[in-house]
Amino acid sequence: SGAMRRFLFINATHPADSHVSALRVASLARAVARQGYEVYLLTRQSNAADGTQSADAREQASQQEMPQVIENSDSGGRVLHIVAPGPPGRQPRGPILLRRSRTHGNWLRGCSSDPDWVRSARFVLDRALADVDIDLVWATFTPIECWTIAQAFARQRGVTFVADIKDDWQVYVPYGLRRLVARKIGSASALTANSLYHWDGFPRKNHKRSVIYSGYWRDEIKPRYSPRS
């Protein structure tokens, strides 16, 4: 049977947050664990973990830097959560064109608008997974720093990197930058997306592609009427 395989998932959204990104990635992690694998899920702290929370809550968030088991599967797999703390999100200021130019410049450098979280995540992963053999890294876009963190980790460990697109590429990436930003995942072995629609506008590359939907139960997406013949 061999040793258990271990995966690292990277998503900026904490699984406790009320957001489809949190639902999708946490659902995938649990589904993979049910197949007998061990999944480490790296995220930011919850949206509640900002400057208004109590000192006790902030201390609890920092302690979650080390893996915390959030689900055990009957198959022997499990999901472990790792929090990479970062400063509270700040709304960019200034004229919209200036804000966009700053964001796009950061993208080209692979840091997006949150280089502090990139550094925090790398530090936390070095500590939390120092003695853990990871077989595959899967990371979502947006934000692009998830790809940046994943690609650096995969190169350091010599493991497979799979890049995921959960947001509309054509909305989040200007036309003139799409090929340049796409190069940031040149080392990816495969690509996944939230739907077939999310491939629109993505530069053509020789990557294997798969769709991983949002994690809603099938009963919730059945049509409410029968199409006319």
Side-chain angles (χ1 to χ4, degrees):
S1 57
M4 175 183 289
R5 299 196 68 189
R6 296 177 173 86
F7 302 151
L8 170 62
F9 288 3
I10 301 177
N11 182 37
T13 311
H14 192 285
D17 290 344
S18 299
H19 193 284
V20 69
S21 175
L23 170 66
R24 175 174 177 258
V25 177
S27 296
L28 177 61
R30 293 186 177 100
V32 171
R34 286 195 292 270
Q35 300 302 313
Y37 301 109
E38 192 166 81
V39 181
Y40 291 82
L41 173 59
L42 173 78
T43 73
R44 289 186 61 111
Q45 64 230 49
S46 173
N47 285 336
D50 58 21
T52 64
Q53 69 176 166
S54 67
D56 289 342
R58 287 195 296 273
E59 176 64 20
Q60 183 178 6
S62 66
Q63 291 174 357
Q64 277 189 268
E65 292 178 17
M66 301 308 293
Q68 304 290 318
V69 177
I70 59 176
E71 178 161 319
N72 283 302
S73 173
D74 293 339
S75 64
R78 59 180 183 167
V79 180
L80 300 95
H81 186 212
I82 306 171
V83 174
R90 299 180 178 87
Q91 293 296 326
R93 300 178 182 275
I96 185 169
L97 291 179
L98 179 59
R99 297 201 307 267
R100 286 180 176 175
S101 66
R102 289 172 178 167
T103 298
H104 299 157
N106 284 331
W107 275 3
L108 295 179
R109 291 190 295 272
C111 296
S112 189
S113 57
D114 197 355
D116 289 338
W117 187 58
V118 172
R119 288 189 288 269
S120 173
R122 288 175 173 172
F123 174 77
V124 168
L125 288 176
D126 284 344
R127 292 179 56 205
L129 301 181
D131 300 319
V132 178
D133 292 329
I134 297 295
D135 297 287
L136 178 145
V137 185
W138 179 84
T140 61
F141 169 92
T142 58
I144 200 173
E145 55 258 32
C146 291
W147 284 356
T148 303
I149 297 162
Q151 187 163 243
F153 183 91
R155 286 174 174 169
Q156 179 184 12
R157 297 288 188 98
V159 299
T160 300
F161 165 45
V162 177
D164 176 70
I165 302 172
K166 68 178 178 64
D167 288 315
D168 188 346
W169 185 261
Q170 297 188 100
V171 170
Y172 282 84
V173 185
Y175 179 80
L177 295 180
R178 288 173 191 166
R179 290 189 178 277
L180 292 174
V181 175
R183 290 177 187 171
K184 295 296 181 184
I185 57 166
S187 65
S189 299
L191 302 174
T192 60
N194 196 26
S195 72
L196 292 174
Y197 168 78
H198 285 73
W199 294 126
D200 291 348
F202 190 83
R204 300 292 181 184
K205 281 187 171 290
N206 296 325
H207 285 99
K208 181 180 179 181
R209 298 183 177 190
S210 302
V211 172
I212 300 174
Y213 291 103
S214 295
Y216 290 110
W217 294 109
R218 292 176 180 175
D219 290 343
E220 297 296 325
I221 58 176
K222 286 181 179 178
R224 298 185 180 182
Y225 64 91
S226 298
R228 294 180 180 178
S229 58

